[in-house]
Amino acid sequence: MTKKSYKSQSSLISNDSGSREATRLEILRNYQILDTPKEQAFDDLAKLTAYICDTPIALISFIGADRQSVKAEVGGEGLHNLPRDIAFCNYVMLSEDLLEVEDAANDVDFQYNPLVVGKQKVRFYVGAPLLSPEGYPLGSLCAIDMVPRRLNEQQREALRILAREVVAHLELRRARLQLEKEKTQLFELLRPSTNKPDAAAAEEQYTEIFVRQEQKLVRVVTADITYVEALGDYVNIYTDRERLTVYSTMKELESRLPNRDFARIHRKYIVCLGRIIAIETDTALFETSKTTTLSLPIGNSYKAALLNRLNLI
């Protein structure tokens, strides 16, 4: 008996869709998401997907020109960088709604797929397309099992909701990248010309920063900042008078604050050194105003560097 081989469904994409595919790939490139490190927000959504669908594997993946790129996963070993024509997620993009394959071994479209007949032994697959605001499919949120199964309607609706959440986080991520680009350009424009050596110029750089607040840029003098607090995808900047919340990272803020005046004391906190009034064990006490003090934890990995910067006797 002749063994049948798997035939890609790529022919389902008509020849006149070339321009649409080019547009789709351009939109995907603008998100700058392919082959990027893990991010907590996406990891959490993959975990929720596995939990809701009760499967050992869940993936958030994006389909590039010729392969699948996995952004977040539960399980999924051996499913990274799959050729596009065998990745189940590729075919989700051809679906208007969920693609649910209850038993791939008995499905005429997938029974000879290498992921079904190979060592992965995929049997159950369900995927929701990740649609850009323009309506272009970018990839899928999917759940996979090695035994046949079927979702109930509540699970299907939850998967649709989670797919929309993935796209929402994708949009937030793109907005943050764009904001960082705009801030860099703004800092370059506002940077004063100087004939001082590079080291001295870097030390005096950024005595003020500009943060976006409700479609406007607000000037903040770094000398007024008491401390900075990480809060998920955002950071809070506290001054003597107010709190400013911005979409940024601690790494970005740390690079913009004068190194001589500020120190990272915890993965969640950057403080003004001049405000510290006492250190006890793993806690720093510092002034937030002339009448108010605050205690913040000192992370073990930051303690030695902090103590080295203090004038100890």
Side-chain angles (χ1 to χ4, degrees):
M1 181 176 179
T2 304
K3 183 178 179 180
K4 295 183 179 180
S5 60
Y6 177 67
K7 184 177 181 180
S8 168
Q9 297 182 15
S10 298
S11 59
L12 292 176
I13 303 176
S14 60
N15 292 332
D16 63 356
S17 66
S19 61
R20 179 173 172 82
E21 173 65 1
T23 301
R24 187 193 74 83
L25 290 173
E26 180 62 24
I27 291 172
L28 181 60
R29 281 192 291 270
N30 288 339
Y31 281 105
Q32 300 179 49
I33 194 70
L34 296 180
D35 303 319
T36 53
K38 288 179 175 292
E39 296 179 46
Q40 187 68 50
F42 296 101
D43 289 343
D44 288 345
L45 291 171
K47 291 175 184 177
L48 275 174
T49 300
Y51 177 77
I52 289 170
C53 296
D54 192 25
T55 58
I57 297 174
L59 305 175
I60 295 174
S61 62
F62 298 95
I63 298 296
D66 54 12
R67 64 184 178 86
Q68 170 183 273
S69 174
V70 175
K71 177 60 180 177
E73 63 178 306
V74 173
E77 292 78 7
L79 298 177
H80 286 252
N81 293 316
L82 291 175
R84 176 174 175 173
D85 61 349
I86 70 169
F88 278 53
C89 295
N90 184 43
Y91 306 116
V92 177
M93 300 199 304
L94 301 173
S95 303
E96 294 183 358
D97 191 20
L98 303 183
L99 171 66
E100 185 171 357
V101 182
E102 296 179 17
D103 185 356
N106 292 318
D107 188 290
V108 295
D109 292 325
F110 295 101
Q111 59 185 335
Y112 300 112
N113 186 293
L115 300 177
V116 177
V117 299
K119 64 179 181 179
Q120 289 87 359
K121 303 297 181 186
V122 171
R123 290 296 176 267
F124 172 75
Y125 176 93
V126 61
L130 301 176
L131 300 175
S132 73
E134 301 88 352
Y136 286 85
L138 306 175
S140 78
L141 171 66
C142 71
I144 300 171
D145 206 341
M146 282 61 209
V147 295
R149 62 168 60 243
R150 179 189 179 98
L151 296 187
N152 58 44
E153 192 52 45
Q154 289 79 11
Q155 289 172 308
R156 295 187 187 103
E157 182 59 24
L159 191 60
R160 295 183 185 101
I161 293 171
L162 288 174
R164 292 195 292 269
E165 283 298 304
V166 171
V167 176
H169 280 286
L170 202 61
E171 284 292 303
L172 282 172
R173 185 181 183 277
R174 177 164 68 173
R176 185 188 69 192
L177 292 174
Q178 180 61 31
L179 179 58
E180 290 175 352
K181 180 180 178 181
E182 291 175 1
K183 287 194 299 184
T184 299
Q185 293 172 342
L186 179 62
F187 286 132
E188 291 297 324
L189 290 173
L190 295 175
R191 179 186 296 174
S193 59
T194 178
N195 293 322
K196 296 180 181 181
D198 290 343
E203 183 68 13
E204 294 185 6
Q205 195 175 5
Y206 305 131
T207 57
E208 58 186 24
I209 59 176
F210 286 80
V211 298
R212 188 182 295 274
Q213 297 289 291
E214 298 180 353
Q215 304 304 315
K216 64 180 179 180
L217 291 173
V218 178
R219 176 176 173 267
V220 180
V221 178
T222 56
D224 293 338
I225 298 174
T226 57
Y227 71 104
V228 178
E229 175 189 36
L231 189 66
D233 292 331
Y234 298 85
V235 295
N236 287 328
I237 301 174
Y238 292 86
T239 71
D240 290 327
R241 301 175 300 279
E242 60 186 338
R243 181 191 71 187
L244 301 168
T245 300
V246 296
Y247 194 77
S248 185
T249 64
M250 291 293 274
K251 183 177 180 180
E252 170 70 12
L253 260 294
E254 191 173 17
S255 70
R256 300 301 181 183
L257 296 174
N259 182 62
R260 65 180 182 275
D261 297 329
F262 291 87
R264 185 86 170 265
I265 66 168
H266 190 273
R267 63 182 180 83
K268 291 184 63 177
Y269 299 108
I270 298 172
V271 302
C272 176
L273 289 171
R275 302 279 185 148
I276 296 176
I277 57 177
I279 292 178
E280 182 176 354
T281 313
D282 295 326
T283 302
L285 181 67
F286 68 100
E287 294 177 326
T288 57
S289 68
K290 292 182 179 179
T291 59
T292 308
T293 60
L294 179 67
S295 294
L296 292 177
I298 302 174
N300 290 333
S301 59
Y302 299 96
K303 188 172 184 179
L306 174 62
L307 294 177
N308 286 337
R309 297 188 60 182
L310 302 178
N311 189 15
L312 299 178
I313 298 177

